[in-house]
Amino acid sequence: MTTTTVNPVLLLTAVVRSVERLSPSFVRIRFGGNGFEHLGPDGPTLDQRVKLIIPGQGRPAPTALLDADGWYAAWLALPERDRGHLRTYTARAVEGEGEGRLLVVDFVLHGPGSHGAAAGPAGAWAAAAAVGDEVGLLAPRRGHEGRFGGIEFAPGAARRLVLVADETALPALASVVESLPEGAEGVAVIEVPEAADFLDVRFPTGIERHWLARGDRVRGEQTLEVLRRCLRLDTDGGRTRGRQAFGGPSLGRAAELDEDVWETPVHSSSGEDVAPDHDSPDTLGPDDTYAWVAGDSDTVKACRRLLVGEGGMPRPQVAFMGYWKQGRAS
Protein backbone atom coordinates (compact mmCIF):
# COMPACT_ATOMS: atom_id res chain seq x y z
CA MET A 1 0.00 0.00 0.00
CA THR A 2 1.44 3.36 -1.02
CA THR A 3 1.26 6.24 1.43
CA THR A 4 1.06 9.70 -0.09
CA THR A 5 2.70 12.50 1.89
CA VAL A 6 0.75 15.72 1.66
CA ASN A 7 2.79 18.91 1.48
CA PRO A 8 1.69 21.23 4.32
CA VAL A 9 2.76 24.23 2.24
CA LEU A 10 0.04 25.58 -0.01
CA LEU A 11 1.43 27.62 -2.92
CA LEU A 12 -1.23 29.82 -4.54
CA THR A 13 -1.71 32.84 -6.71
CA ALA A 14 -3.67 35.18 -4.46
CA VAL A 15 -6.02 37.55 -6.26
CA VAL A 16 -7.17 40.76 -4.57
CA ARG A 17 -10.93 40.51 -4.00
CA SER A 18 -11.42 43.71 -1.98
CA VAL A 19 -9.44 46.64 -0.59
CA GLU A 20 -10.62 48.51 2.51
CA ARG A 21 -8.83 51.49 4.06
CA LEU A 22 -9.25 51.03 7.82
CA SER A 23 -7.33 54.08 9.03
CA PRO A 24 -4.44 56.34 8.00
CA SER A 25 -1.95 53.51 8.69
CA PHE A 26 -3.89 50.36 7.80
CA VAL A 27 -5.41 48.85 4.69
CA ARG A 28 -7.27 45.52 4.75
CA ILE A 29 -6.98 43.33 1.67
CA ARG A 30 -8.96 40.15 1.07
CA PHE A 31 -7.42 37.55 -1.21
CA GLY A 32 -9.04 34.63 -3.00
CA GLY A 33 -8.47 32.46 -6.02
CA ASN A 34 -8.06 28.93 -7.30
CA GLY A 35 -7.19 26.46 -4.57
CA PHE A 36 -8.27 28.66 -1.68
CA GLU A 37 -10.73 25.98 -0.56
CA HIS A 38 -7.64 24.15 0.76
CA LEU A 39 -6.38 27.16 2.72
CA GLY A 40 -5.79 26.70 6.43
CA PRO A 41 -5.93 27.02 9.26
CA ASP A 42 -9.07 25.38 10.51
CA GLY A 43 -10.23 27.30 13.54
CA PRO A 44 -8.77 30.57 14.87
CA THR A 45 -5.88 32.05 12.91
CA LEU A 46 -4.22 33.38 16.11
CA ASP A 47 -0.82 34.75 15.00
CA GLN A 48 -0.55 32.47 11.97
CA ARG A 49 2.21 33.66 9.65
CA VAL A 50 2.01 33.41 5.88
CA LYS A 51 4.42 34.50 3.16
CA LEU A 52 3.56 36.81 0.30
CA ILE A 53 5.61 37.16 -2.87
CA ILE A 54 5.10 40.72 -4.06
CA PRO A 55 5.83 40.89 -7.80
CA GLY A 56 8.05 43.58 -9.24
CA GLN A 57 6.37 46.48 -10.99
CA GLY A 58 4.82 45.30 -14.22
CA ARG A 59 5.71 41.66 -13.55
CA PRO A 60 3.31 38.77 -12.86
CA ALA A 61 3.22 36.90 -9.55
CA PRO A 62 5.97 34.26 -9.83
CA THR A 63 3.77 31.46 -8.48
CA ALA A 64 3.55 29.70 -11.85
CA LEU A 65 7.35 29.41 -11.89
CA LEU A 66 7.52 27.63 -8.53
CA ASP A 67 6.44 24.39 -6.92
CA ALA A 68 5.48 23.89 -3.28
CA ASP A 69 8.30 21.32 -2.97
CA GLY A 70 11.59 23.18 -2.80
CA TRP A 71 9.94 26.51 -3.52
CA TYR A 72 12.52 28.64 -1.72
CA ALA A 73 15.55 27.43 -3.65
CA ALA A 74 13.56 27.74 -6.88
CA TRP A 75 12.51 31.27 -5.95
CA LEU A 76 16.12 32.31 -5.22
CA ALA A 77 17.15 30.87 -8.57
CA LEU A 78 14.75 33.11 -10.50
CA PRO A 79 16.15 36.15 -12.31
CA GLU A 80 15.86 39.19 -10.05
CA ARG A 81 13.32 40.84 -12.35
CA ASP A 82 10.98 37.83 -11.96
CA ARG A 83 11.64 37.07 -8.30
CA GLY A 84 9.75 39.89 -6.63
CA HIS A 85 9.94 40.41 -2.88
CA LEU A 86 9.26 37.77 -0.22
CA ARG A 87 7.60 39.11 2.92
CA THR A 88 6.02 37.56 6.01
CA TYR A 89 2.59 38.69 7.21
CA THR A 90 0.01 37.57 9.72
CA ALA A 91 -3.35 36.21 8.63
CA ARG A 92 -5.87 38.57 10.20
CA ALA A 93 -8.58 36.03 9.42
CA VAL A 94 -9.66 33.28 7.06
CA GLU A 95 -13.25 33.64 5.90
CA GLY A 96 -15.76 31.53 4.03
CA GLU A 97 -15.71 28.07 2.54
CA GLY A 98 -15.18 26.37 -0.78
CA GLU A 99 -14.27 28.47 -3.79
CA GLY A 100 -15.26 31.61 -1.88
CA ARG A 101 -12.72 31.09 0.91
CA LEU A 102 -10.69 34.26 1.56
CA LEU A 103 -7.51 35.24 3.34
CA VAL A 104 -7.65 38.60 5.14
CA VAL A 105 -4.39 40.52 5.60
CA ASP A 106 -4.05 43.93 7.25
CA PHE A 107 -1.11 45.89 5.82
CA VAL A 108 0.64 48.77 7.57
CA LEU A 109 1.14 51.84 5.41
CA HIS A 110 4.18 53.53 6.92
CA GLY A 111 3.85 57.28 7.12
CA PRO A 112 4.89 60.35 9.11
CA GLY A 113 4.16 58.70 12.47
CA SER A 114 6.50 55.82 11.75
CA HIS A 115 9.71 57.68 12.67
CA GLY A 116 11.88 56.76 9.73
CA ALA A 117 10.19 53.47 8.86
CA ALA A 118 10.10 53.87 5.10
CA ALA A 119 7.54 51.96 3.09
CA GLY A 120 8.99 48.73 1.76
CA PRO A 121 7.88 46.84 -1.35
CA ALA A 122 4.91 45.21 0.41
CA GLY A 123 3.65 48.45 1.96
CA ALA A 124 4.02 50.31 -1.32
CA TRP A 125 2.20 47.52 -3.15
CA ALA A 126 -0.64 47.50 -0.61
CA ALA A 127 -1.06 51.28 -0.80
CA ALA A 128 -1.74 51.00 -4.55
CA ALA A 129 -3.51 47.61 -4.58
CA ALA A 130 -6.69 47.21 -6.61
CA VAL A 131 -9.18 44.41 -7.14
CA GLY A 132 -7.70 41.88 -9.54
CA ASP A 133 -4.06 42.42 -8.59
CA GLU A 134 -2.10 39.25 -7.84
CA VAL A 135 0.62 38.15 -5.45
CA GLY A 136 2.17 34.81 -4.60
CA LEU A 137 1.04 33.17 -1.36
CA LEU A 138 2.59 30.45 0.80
CA ALA A 139 0.22 29.40 3.55
CA PRO A 140 -0.74 26.31 5.59
CA ARG A 141 -2.73 23.60 3.89
CA ARG A 142 -5.98 22.97 5.70
CA GLY A 143 -5.61 20.13 8.16
CA HIS A 144 -1.80 20.27 8.07
CA GLU A 145 -1.22 23.52 9.98
CA GLY A 146 0.96 21.85 12.59
CA ARG A 147 3.58 20.87 10.03
CA PHE A 148 3.49 24.28 8.37
CA GLY A 149 4.09 26.11 11.66
CA GLY A 150 3.80 29.85 12.05
CA ILE A 151 1.70 30.06 15.23
CA GLU A 152 3.55 31.13 18.39
CA PHE A 153 0.67 32.03 20.72
CA ALA A 154 0.50 29.12 23.17
CA PRO A 155 -0.72 30.24 26.61
CA GLY A 156 -1.56 26.77 27.88
CA ALA A 157 -3.53 27.03 31.13
CA ALA A 158 -2.21 30.49 32.02
CA ARG A 159 -4.71 32.49 34.04
CA ARG A 160 -3.49 35.96 33.02
CA LEU A 161 -2.22 37.29 29.68
CA VAL A 162 0.15 40.15 28.90
CA LEU A 163 -0.11 41.15 25.22
CA VAL A 164 2.08 43.84 23.64
CA ALA A 165 2.11 44.97 19.99
CA ASP A 166 3.01 47.82 17.71
CA GLU A 167 1.19 48.53 14.45
CA THR A 168 2.95 45.70 12.61
CA ALA A 169 1.83 43.17 15.23
CA LEU A 170 -1.66 44.59 15.80
CA PRO A 171 -3.28 42.26 13.20
CA ALA A 172 -1.84 39.25 15.05
CA LEU A 173 -2.85 40.58 18.47
CA ALA A 174 -6.35 41.34 17.20
CA SER A 175 -6.74 37.82 15.86
CA VAL A 176 -5.47 36.39 19.15
CA VAL A 177 -7.78 38.38 21.44
CA GLU A 178 -10.82 37.72 19.28
CA SER A 179 -10.19 33.99 19.76
CA LEU A 180 -10.10 34.22 23.57
CA PRO A 181 -12.96 33.09 25.81
CA GLU A 182 -15.03 35.85 27.34
CA GLY A 183 -13.59 35.06 30.78
CA ALA A 184 -9.97 35.70 29.73
CA GLU A 185 -8.07 38.15 31.92
CA GLY A 186 -4.99 40.26 31.41
CA VAL A 187 -3.66 43.41 29.82
CA ALA A 188 -3.04 44.49 26.21
CA VAL A 189 -0.75 47.38 25.27
CA ILE A 190 -0.93 48.51 21.64
CA GLU A 191 1.14 51.38 20.24
CA VAL A 192 0.20 52.75 16.82
CA PRO A 193 1.20 55.87 14.88
CA GLU A 194 -1.88 57.98 15.69
CA ALA A 195 -5.23 57.86 17.48
CA ALA A 196 -7.07 57.35 14.19
CA ASP A 197 -5.35 53.94 14.06
CA PHE A 198 -7.19 52.64 17.13
CA LEU A 199 -9.00 49.89 15.26
CA ASP A 200 -12.25 48.13 16.11
CA VAL A 201 -11.05 44.99 17.91
CA ARG A 202 -13.32 42.76 20.02
CA PHE A 203 -11.63 42.28 23.40
CA PRO A 204 -12.96 40.06 26.19
CA THR A 205 -14.19 42.27 29.02
CA GLY A 206 -11.45 40.95 31.32
CA ILE A 207 -8.62 42.24 29.10
CA GLU A 208 -7.52 45.74 30.18
CA ARG A 209 -6.79 47.67 26.99
CA HIS A 210 -4.25 50.45 26.52
CA TRP A 211 -4.27 52.06 23.07
CA LEU A 212 -1.30 54.41 22.63
CA ALA A 213 -0.85 56.99 19.87
CA ARG A 214 2.88 57.43 19.22
CA GLY A 215 2.73 60.80 17.55
CA ASP A 216 6.14 62.49 17.80
CA ARG A 217 7.35 60.40 20.73
CA VAL A 218 10.12 57.81 20.48
CA ARG A 219 8.91 54.44 19.26
CA GLY A 220 8.19 52.10 22.17
CA GLU A 221 8.63 54.73 24.90
CA GLN A 222 4.96 54.84 25.87
CA THR A 223 4.66 51.07 25.63
CA LEU A 224 7.35 50.58 28.27
CA GLU A 225 5.90 53.27 30.55
CA VAL A 226 2.42 51.74 30.48
CA LEU A 227 3.68 48.17 30.76
CA ARG A 228 5.71 49.12 33.83
CA ARG A 229 2.63 50.65 35.47
CA CYS A 230 0.46 47.67 34.60
CA LEU A 231 2.99 45.27 36.12
CA ARG A 232 3.35 47.44 39.23
CA LEU A 233 7.09 47.89 38.88
CA ASP A 234 8.50 51.04 40.48
CA THR A 235 10.55 53.55 38.50
CA ASP A 236 13.83 51.92 39.58
CA GLY A 237 12.81 48.55 38.23
CA GLY A 238 12.15 47.05 41.65
CA ARG A 239 9.01 45.15 42.57
CA THR A 240 6.55 47.24 44.54
CA ARG A 241 6.22 46.31 48.20
CA GLY A 242 8.76 43.53 47.66
CA ARG A 243 6.41 41.27 45.68
CA GLN A 244 7.28 39.56 42.41
CA ALA A 245 5.25 40.74 39.46
CA PHE A 246 4.91 37.14 38.33
CA GLY A 247 4.69 33.86 40.19
CA GLY A 248 7.53 31.38 40.09
CA PRO A 249 11.32 31.68 40.12
CA SER A 250 13.24 33.69 37.57
CA LEU A 251 15.43 31.36 35.51
CA GLY A 252 18.65 33.33 35.47
CA ARG A 253 19.29 36.84 34.21
CA ALA A 254 17.74 38.01 30.96
CA ALA A 255 20.54 37.52 28.46
CA GLU A 256 20.79 39.91 25.53
CA LEU A 257 19.28 38.68 22.29
CA ASP A 258 20.64 39.25 18.83
CA GLU A 259 19.19 41.77 16.38
CA ASP A 260 16.58 39.34 15.08
CA VAL A 261 14.69 38.82 18.32
CA TRP A 262 12.67 35.65 18.34
CA GLU A 263 12.27 33.77 21.60
CA THR A 264 9.39 31.49 22.49
CA PRO A 265 9.05 28.89 25.25
CA VAL A 266 10.73 26.36 22.95
CA HIS A 267 13.04 28.42 20.71
CA SER A 268 15.52 31.29 20.94
CA SER A 269 17.10 33.12 18.00
CA SER A 270 20.29 33.31 20.06
CA GLY A 271 20.54 29.52 19.93
CA GLU A 272 20.52 29.08 23.70
CA ASP A 273 18.23 26.76 25.63
CA VAL A 274 15.33 28.78 26.97
CA ALA A 275 14.74 26.57 30.00
CA PRO A 276 15.12 22.87 29.25
CA ASP A 277 14.13 21.73 32.74
CA HIS A 278 11.11 23.98 33.17
CA ASP A 279 7.51 23.15 32.42
CA SER A 280 6.35 23.71 28.87
CA PRO A 281 3.55 26.26 28.25
CA ASP A 282 1.10 23.39 27.96
CA THR A 283 1.73 22.55 31.61
CA LEU A 284 1.64 26.05 33.09
CA GLY A 285 -0.32 26.23 36.30
CA PRO A 286 -3.64 28.09 36.44
CA ASP A 287 -2.08 30.96 38.46
CA ASP A 288 0.68 31.67 35.94
CA THR A 289 0.96 34.58 33.53
CA TYR A 290 1.79 34.19 29.85
CA ALA A 291 3.22 37.08 27.81
CA TRP A 292 3.12 37.54 24.04
CA VAL A 293 5.17 40.49 22.77
CA ALA A 294 5.64 41.39 19.10
CA GLY A 295 6.71 44.41 17.10
CA ASP A 296 9.95 46.18 16.26
CA SER A 297 13.05 44.43 17.58
CA ASP A 298 14.28 47.26 19.81
CA THR A 299 10.99 47.58 21.67
CA VAL A 300 10.65 43.81 21.95
CA LYS A 301 14.11 43.55 23.53
CA ALA A 302 13.27 46.32 25.99
CA CYS A 303 10.02 44.57 26.95
CA ARG A 304 11.96 41.35 27.44
CA ARG A 305 14.32 43.06 29.89
CA LEU A 306 11.35 44.50 31.74
CA LEU A 307 9.34 41.29 31.96
CA VAL A 308 12.09 38.73 32.50
CA GLY A 309 14.92 40.80 33.96
CA GLU A 310 13.01 43.16 36.24
CA GLY A 311 9.69 41.41 36.66
CA GLY A 312 11.20 37.98 37.24
CA MET A 313 8.94 36.27 34.76
CA PRO A 314 10.05 32.68 33.94
CA ARG A 315 11.26 32.59 30.36
CA PRO A 316 9.17 29.55 29.35
CA GLN A 317 6.07 31.71 29.93
CA VAL A 318 6.92 34.32 27.30
CA ALA A 319 7.01 34.69 23.52
CA PHE A 320 9.04 37.63 22.18
CA MET A 321 9.00 38.23 18.44
CA GLY A 322 10.83 40.97 16.57
CA TYR A 323 8.67 41.32 13.47
CA TRP A 324 10.93 43.98 11.97
CA LYS A 325 14.04 46.08 12.53
CA GLN A 326 14.06 49.85 12.18
CA GLY A 327 16.10 50.84 9.15
CA ARG A 328 15.23 47.70 7.19
CA ALA A 329 12.58 47.74 4.49
CA SER A 330 9.57 45.67 5.52
Side-chain angles (χ1 to χ4, degrees):
M1 180 177 179
T2 303
T3 301
T4 302
T5 301
V6 177
N7 192 331
V9 177
L10 198 62
L11 177 65
L12 300 170
T13 297
V15 183
V16 174
R17 298 303 196 204
S18 69
V19 179
E20 178 185 2
R21 190 65 177 262
L22 301 177
S23 74
S25 300
F26 289 95
V27 61
R28 175 168 294 168
I29 298 181
R30 286 178 168 84
F31 296 97
N34 293 332
F36 266 67
E37 66 271 19
H38 303 299
L39 179 70
D42 271 328
T45 54
L46 301 176
D47 54 346
Q48 175 73 63
R49 297 188 303 278
V50 300
K51 292 188 180 296
L52 301 179
I53 306 176
I54 308 299
Q57 188 171 8
R59 308 297 295 183
T63 318
L65 305 176
L66 305 175
D67 185 89
D69 294 317
W71 67 268
Y72 186 63
W75 177 77
L76 287 176
L78 290 175
E80 189 171 346
R81 67 180 183 278
D82 295 326
R83 190 184 307 157
H85 306 275
L86 184 66
R87 294 294 184 265
T88 302
Y89 274 83
T90 302
R92 178 62 179 84
V94 174
E95 301 174 341
E97 293 293 342
E99 295 179 357
R101 194 162 172 83
L102 300 173
L103 170 68
V104 184
V105 179
D106 288 354
F107 291 81
V108 178
L109 307 178
H110 293 293
S114 300
H115 289 280
W125 176 88
V131 172
D133 288 350
E134 297 181 351
V135 299
L137 170 66
L138 293 126
R141 183 181 296 274
R142 202 168 186 173
H144 300 270
E145 298 87 352
R147 292 171 55 214
F148 180 88
I151 290 180
E152 305 293 358
F153 181 74
R159 179 187 61 82
R160 183 169 182 251
L161 301 172
V162 176
L163 308 170
V164 182
D166 70 0
E167 61 269 29
T168 65
L170 173 54
L173 181 145
S175 180
V176 163
V177 298
E178 291 182 353
S179 75
L180 296 174
E182 184 55 35
E185 297 180 1
V187 59
V189 181
I190 309 108
E191 181 179 309
V192 292
E194 55 184 287
D197 295 318
F198 296 174
L199 301 185
D200 183 16
V201 179
R202 300 186 304 276
F203 286 88
T205 56
I207 300 292
E208 176 185 337
R209 286 91 79 188
H210 296 271
W211 287 95
L212 309 174
R214 183 179 309 117
D216 294 327
R217 295 189 61 176
V218 175
R219 176 179 290 278
E221 186 177 64
Q222 293 182 84
T223 292
L224 293 167
E225 291 173 358
V226 171
L227 190 58
R228 184 180 293 279
R229 290 201 304 269
C230 290
L231 303 181
R232 297 181 294 282
L233 295 172
D234 63 33
T235 55
D236 296 324
R239 301 174 185 99
T240 54
R241 294 186 294 282
R243 69 181 293 275
Q244 275 198 305
F246 307 99
S250 176
L251 300 177
R253 70 176 181 85
E256 284 299 313
L257 292 181
D258 59 15
E259 263 194 3
D260 298 313
V261 186
W262 203 277
E263 182 176 291
T264 70
V266 296
H267 170 76
S268 173
S269 60
S270 65
E272 63 178 319
D273 289 335
V274 176
D277 298 325
H278 197 278
D279 290 341
S280 73
D282 289 336
T283 58
L284 293 181
D287 295 327
D288 288 314
T289 299
Y290 173 85
W292 180 96
V293 181
D296 80 277
S297 294
D298 291 337
T299 302
V300 168
K301 284 193 287 189
C303 289
R304 181 183 186 273
R305 287 192 293 269
L306 181 64
L307 289 165
V308 176
E310 298 179 23
M313 189 170 189
R315 288 170 62 190
Q317 293 174 211
V318 296
F320 297 108
M321 292 145 295
Y323 277 8
W324 67 287
K325 176 72 175 176
Q326 189 135 336
R328 294 182 190 171
S330 59

